[in-house]
Amino acid sequence: DAGITQSPRHKVTETGTPVTLRCHQTENHRYMYWYRQDPGHGLRLIHYSYGVKDTDKGEVSDGYSVSRSKTEDFLLTLESATSSQTSVYFCAISGGTGPGDTQYFGPGTRLTVL
Amino acid sequence: DAKTTQPTSMDCAEGRAANLPCNHSTISGNEYVYWYRQIHSQGPQYIIHGLKNNETNEMASLIITEDRKSSTLILPHATLRDTAVYYCIVIPLSGSARQLTFGSGTQLTVLP
């Protein structure tokens, strides 16, 4: 299994509070991704990173920001959580030459916003 | 825009081959076909990928039609542990990750 951990694994928070999710990898892969998964929507890309301090938006980036100050860590921040951001969040990594390379996923973080 | 179309659900008897279809009629010449699966509550898991030739690994076989507009993932001897949602995606090897899209996939249920 690829060395990917996510923290926390479960979190319950209240509307309006800031939340930061962490993805940590030990594979030294260049690309890192944040997805959210909701019933009936499959996986939707929030943001991704193609190197340290290099990030870009995905399909559903509104309300989220990311940072990558080290190769191994990719942080997802909800500046002011809303109930619509209740979801399961997955981090993924890939090496190779582009985002089309094989992705390896973390175990997920279940976030509930009350 | 959905780049792939998959049946919502399928059943398969344990020990039999499971054949999961995927339609990708708008695929471009530089796009790969990838298959992932997600067992309940876990992170998705890579299965196999291909460009135009058929591929086989220890988990599955991938059959891509000659015109590349569709493909079939084959699990040769399905077990109960293969019950999962199977995702077919197409993606160019290089390019923006904004093109990454996982649809709703196919829920495969392996029956005892």
Side-chain angles (χ1 to χ4, degrees):
Chain A
D1 290 345
I4 311 168
T5 56
Q6 293 184 230
S7 58
R9 294 292 314 280
H10 302 271
K11 186 172 182 65
V12 180
T13 191
E14 294 187 351
T15 298
T17 61
V19 176
T20 296
L21 308 183
R22 179 182 184 233
C23 178
H24 179 78
Q25 60 146 328
T26 58
E27 306 297 321
N28 200 36
H29 279 355
R30 178 183 177 190
Y31 292 87
M32 298 185 75
Y33 315 81
W34 277 109
Y35 293 87
R36 60 176 290 173
Q37 185 171 40
D38 305 293
H41 287 279
L43 288 157
R44 293 183 291 174
L45 183 66
I46 305 171
H47 281 279
Y48 69 101
S49 170
Y50 46 96
V52 173
K53 299 186 179 179
D54 291 324
T55 66
D56 201 355
K57 297 178 180 180
E59 177 188 357
V60 291
S61 60
D62 287 348
Y64 301 94
S65 62
V66 291
S67 66
R68 191 170 179 199
S69 59
K70 299 185 291 184
T71 298
E72 59 266 34
D73 289 326
F74 192 32
L75 305 180
L76 177 70
T77 298
L78 292 65
E79 301 289 349
S80 178
T82 68
S83 58
S84 65
Q85 293 175 313
T86 292
S87 187
V88 180
Y89 292 85
F90 288 101
C91 173
I93 64 174
S94 68
T97 59
D101 206 347
T102 301
Q103 293 187 56
Y104 300 94
F105 287 80
T109 294
R110 185 173 296 275
L111 176 67
T112 302
V113 183
L114 302 175
Chain B
D1 291 343
K3 300 184 73 174
T4 64
T5 304
Q6 299 177 253
T8 302
S9 63
M10 296 180 64
D11 292 339
C12 176
E14 187 177 19
R16 304 295 295 270
N19 296 276
L20 292 91
C22 180
N23 181 288
H24 32 79
S25 58
T26 61
I27 192 170
S28 300
N30 68 337
E31 289 183 318
Y32 285 71
V33 179
Y34 272 83
W35 283 84
Y36 291 83
R37 74 180 182 183
Q38 186 174 25
I39 297 171
H40 183 61
S41 298
Q42 298 180 19
Q45 176 191 24
Y46 166 77
I47 302 174
I48 198 167
H49 75 283
L51 183 61
K52 52 184 177 181
N53 296 324
N54 297 337
E55 302 288 344
T56 296
N57 63 19
E58 65 279 5
M59 291 183 66
S61 294
L62 174 60
I63 308 298
I64 303 174
T65 59
E66 190 169 346
D67 63 8
R68 302 187 69 238
K69 293 185 177 182
S70 66
S71 61
T72 301
L73 177 74
I74 302 173
L75 308 178
H77 303 287
T79 71
L80 299 179
R81 289 178 294 179
D82 291 322
T83 292
V85 178
Y86 288 77
Y87 298 98
C88 166
I89 67 171
V90 295
I91 183 74
L93 185 58
S94 61
S96 171
R98 291 189 187 190
Q99 300 167 67
L100 285 168
T101 301
F102 286 73
S104 298
T106 297
Q107 170 66 58
L108 174 68
T109 302
V110 180
L111 303 172

